[in-house]
Amino acid sequence: MHVSKEKAQEALSVFRENGGLLRTSEARELGIHPRTLYHLRDSGQLDRLSRGLYRVADLPPLTHPDLTVVAARSDPARICLISALDFHDLTTEVPHAVDVALPGNRRPPALDHPPMRVFRMSGQALTEGVEHHEIDGVDVKIFGPAKTVADCFKFRNRTGLDTALEGLRAYLEKAPGRTEDLMHYARICRVESVLRPYVEALSMQ
């Protein structure tokens, strides 16, 4: 079905005014008809990043596309564990999926890309230690370095003890003597007794 050039340009202007990236539901709320949205997609003026998520095609490439897509599709999601270690440069491991923390009653977003691993958290384990990073115009919630290391020990059966230890070593190298924050989050994650011997041993090296 035909979409006028004026309608297409108006829709693109709305996208640009909102950072160049919108969910389908957001586009509709802002007055963009689905027919116009699909016309812009089919004509190459919008890129489909994932199911229900579109971005203006002529913008610079995304710096962290996987994190941006997950954050844009799920407001409650917190980037955690190996994905957070990678973001904070605390691991040499390459994430094969985006690790996200969600409350137990929230379903993960339906995405065809990127793959996700969901970790259920609640209370302070979900709300404490969250950093907000604006990445490619999207508010991405990521657990900070100390909280991430504590989480890796909590979920070591899923992420691997070697990964947790690598993150701990890198954290201590970057912030020598800064163990107060680490132990604070270890208590929240109920892994203080597990983490403390490793911190003491590595701090003496």
Side-chain angles (χ1 to χ4, degrees):
M1 194 172 293
H2 178 70
V3 173
S4 70
K5 186 175 180 180
E6 290 75 17
K7 282 286 185 185
Q9 289 304 314
E10 286 175 11
L12 284 174
S13 295
V14 172
F15 264 83
R16 295 185 193 281
E17 290 165 5
N18 289 273
L21 185 152
L22 288 172
R23 289 179 283 197
T24 302
S25 58
E26 293 170 332
R28 288 176 177 171
E29 289 171 4
L30 291 168
I32 299 174
H33 194 279
R35 182 173 63 246
T36 305
L37 188 67
Y38 300 142
H39 166 77
L40 292 172
R41 177 200 64 190
D42 294 342
S43 63
Q45 297 177 78
L46 289 179
D47 287 334
R48 180 181 180 273
L49 300 184
S50 191
R51 185 184 305 175
L53 187 65
Y54 297 90
R55 185 172 186 260
V56 177
D58 62 8
L59 292 176
L62 294 169
T63 55
H64 293 275
D66 290 354
L67 303 188
T68 301
V69 167
V70 170
R73 284 296 311 276
S74 179
D75 292 333
R78 279 90 163 113
I79 307 300
C80 65
L81 296 158
I82 295 175
S83 296
L85 286 179
D86 179 62
F87 180 82
H88 295 299
D89 198 23
L90 296 175
T91 185
T92 57
E93 188 169 345
V94 178
H96 297 294
V98 179
D99 289 343
V100 298
L102 285 171
N105 62 343
R106 291 302 294 262
R107 296 178 62 181
L111 298 176
D112 44 23
H113 185 82
M116 288 186 303
R117 290 197 305 174
V118 175
F119 296 80
R120 298 297 179 178
M121 300 185 188
S122 60
Q124 287 184 302
L126 183 68
T127 60
E128 293 282 319
V130 179
E131 298 179 351
H132 292 257
H133 294 267
E134 185 173 319
I135 303 175
D136 302 310
V138 175
D139 177 30
V140 181
K141 304 173 188 70
I142 304 176
F143 285 123
K147 173 61 162 56
T148 296
V149 171
D151 281 337
C152 286
F153 276 87
K154 179 178 181 179
F155 291 99
R156 62 194 180 278
N157 289 338
R158 289 183 65 183
T159 62
L161 181 58
D162 288 346
T163 297
L165 287 172
E166 182 188 31
L168 175 59
R169 288 191 188 96
Y171 175 84
L172 293 174
E173 287 173 4
K174 288 190 171 191
R178 288 286 307 279
T179 60
E180 300 88 352
D181 286 349
L182 195 56
M183 299 318 297
H184 167 72
Y185 293 116
R187 285 188 287 274
I188 288 175
C189 294
R190 299 179 182 177
V191 290
E192 183 179 10
S193 62
V194 175
L195 185 53
R196 187 176 294 280
Y198 290 109
V199 172
E200 292 174 351
L202 291 173
S203 298
M204 293 174 63
Q205 292 180 3

